[in-house]
């Protein structure tokens, strides 16, 4: 499918404000049609600036948070209630709202543990650069490689998105497993889904050790810790 981006797009009535809480247009997950949803990358008529997280792990977590939001039926679009997402988060269990910039802000906050502060697409570049979390802006040109976790914002006031599926940064693939997006509670099934071929108890013990779990015995609590790290893009690989 190529490069995939996620964003808060428009409310159920095709308007910027006035819609109900929650995503009234989402019918399936993964969601490619909802108010807050994913879609194939496109070149915006206003052009894109690229803001790339300095830390690979934060980049992966930005993408994971955006995917959570896009697939969460409780998150809809309403510019008049844009800051609600900051209270409830991307895994909200109550109907809430956001707009494109407040959603990107929440994803960054969840990914880094640092709130970059309020911004709109008018001043997003300057705010994110000043946060210290991002490299200096780049101009998107045909052929530019987009990486998972990149944040894109139009050159003039308009729209902002996060890349949910792009090229892997070098250290991502070397040091960490890809972010697991799924519903299984089995660490074995989750590891298989992200490409791990050896899910034996012996190898899982080694994975647990490099991730700070000593005396791994395969308990439910230990496996849940591993699974949560995998969902956050923070599960380290074992280097043989």
């Amino acid at each position: 499918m190529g490069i995939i981006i996620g964003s808060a797009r428009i409310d159920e009535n095709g308007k910027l404000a006035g819609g109900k809480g929650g995503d009234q247009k989402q019918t399936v997950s993964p969601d490619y049609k909802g108010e807050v949803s994913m879609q194939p990358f496109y070149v915006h008529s206003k052009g894109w600036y690229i803001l790339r997280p300095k830390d690979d792990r934060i980049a992966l977590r930005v993408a994971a948070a955006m995917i959570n939001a896009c697939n969460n039926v409780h998150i809809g679009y309403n510019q008049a209630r844009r800051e609600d997402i900051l209270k409830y988060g991307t895994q909200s269990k109550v109907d809430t709202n956001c707009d494109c910039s407040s959603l990107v802000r929440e994803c960054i906050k969840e990914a880094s543990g640092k709130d970059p502060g309020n911004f709109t697409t008018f001043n997003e570049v300057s705010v994110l650069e000043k946060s210290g979390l991002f490299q200096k802006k780049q101009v998107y040109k045909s052929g530019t490689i987009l990486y998972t976790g990149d944040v894109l914002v139009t050159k003039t006031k308009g729209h902002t998105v996060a890349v949910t599926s792009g090229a892997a940064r070098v250290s991502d693939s070397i040091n960490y497993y890809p972010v697991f997006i799924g519903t299984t509670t089995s660490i074995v099934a989750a590891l298989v889904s992200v490409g791990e071929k050896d899910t034996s108890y012996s190898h899982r013990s080694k994975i647990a050790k490099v991730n700070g779990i000593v005396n791994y015995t395969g308990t439910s609590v230990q496996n849940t810790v591993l699974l949560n790290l995998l969902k956050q893009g923070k599960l380290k690989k074992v280097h043989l």
Side-chain angles (χ1 to χ4, degrees):
M1 186 175 272
I3 304 298
I4 302 297
I5 56 177
S7 67
R9 297 162 69 175
I10 201 72
D11 79 5
E12 68 270 26
N13 302 311
K15 297 181 178 180
L16 298 179
K20 298 178 181 180
D23 195 331
Q24 308 303 311
K25 296 170 64 178
Q26 180 176 330
T27 57
V28 297
S29 180
D31 181 16
Y32 287 87
K33 295 183 179 180
E35 299 173 48
V36 178
S37 58
M38 293 174 285
Q39 64 188 132
F41 169 73
Y42 65 95
V43 180
H44 199 283
S45 60
K46 295 182 177 182
W48 293 116
Y49 284 132
I50 305 168
L51 289 154
R52 182 160 294 150
K54 295 178 180 178
D55 188 309
D56 293 351
R57 292 167 296 176
I58 289 176
L60 289 173
R61 295 200 289 270
V62 166
M66 180 59 77
I67 292 170
N68 285 337
C70 289
N71 291 334
N72 188 344
V73 73
H74 293 295
I75 301 176
Y77 188 105
N78 186 338
Q79 200 170 83
R81 301 299 303 270
R82 64 188 297 273
E83 294 191 356
D84 288 1
I85 187 69
L86 303 173
K87 178 180 179 181
Y88 295 107
T90 64
Q91 299 190 63
S92 175
K93 301 299 183 183
V94 300
D95 288 345
T96 189
N97 286 298
C98 62
D99 69 358
C100 63
S101 55
S102 67
L103 177 57
V104 167
R105 175 185 174 186
E106 177 61 22
C107 290
I108 294 168
K109 181 162 69 79
E110 292 181 14
S112 67
K114 177 179 179 179
D115 186 351
N118 186 41
F119 59 81
T120 68
T121 54
F122 176 76
N123 65 340
E124 181 172 345
V125 168
S126 62
V127 171
L128 294 190
E129 286 182 342
K130 289 177 182 177
S131 74
L133 298 169
F134 292 82
Q135 301 172 15
K136 293 294 184 181
K137 71 180 181 186
Q138 301 179 47
V139 176
Y140 176 82
K141 300 178 181 179
S142 178
T144 300
I145 297 175
L146 294 176
Y147 294 89
T148 300
D150 282 353
V151 171
L152 311 180
V153 58
T154 47
K155 293 180 178 179
T156 57
K157 185 177 180 180
H159 194 45
T160 184
V161 308
V163 177
T164 56
S165 180
R169 288 161 66 153
V170 173
S171 60
D172 293 349
S173 58
I174 294 175
N175 297 317
Y176 296 90
Y177 288 101
V179 175
F180 168 67
I181 305 298
T183 58
T184 184
T185 58
S186 165
I187 185 61
V188 171
L191 285 169
V192 169
S193 76
V194 297
E196 176 57 69
K197 295 180 180 179
D198 186 354
T199 59
S200 65
Y201 173 79
S202 174
H203 191 65
R204 282 185 283 122
S205 297
K206 294 176 183 177
I207 295 172
K209 185 176 181 179
V210 299
N211 284 278
I213 299 175
V214 296
N215 299 321
Y216 177 79
T217 57
T219 66
S220 175
V221 171
Q222 291 173 330
N223 286 336
T224 297
V225 171
L226 295 178
L227 186 61
N228 286 337
L229 289 172
L230 190 60
K231 288 179 176 180
Q232 297 169 37
K234 296 169 64 176
L235 188 68
K236 296 177 183 178
K237 293 182 178 179
V238 174
H239 294 295
L240 302 177

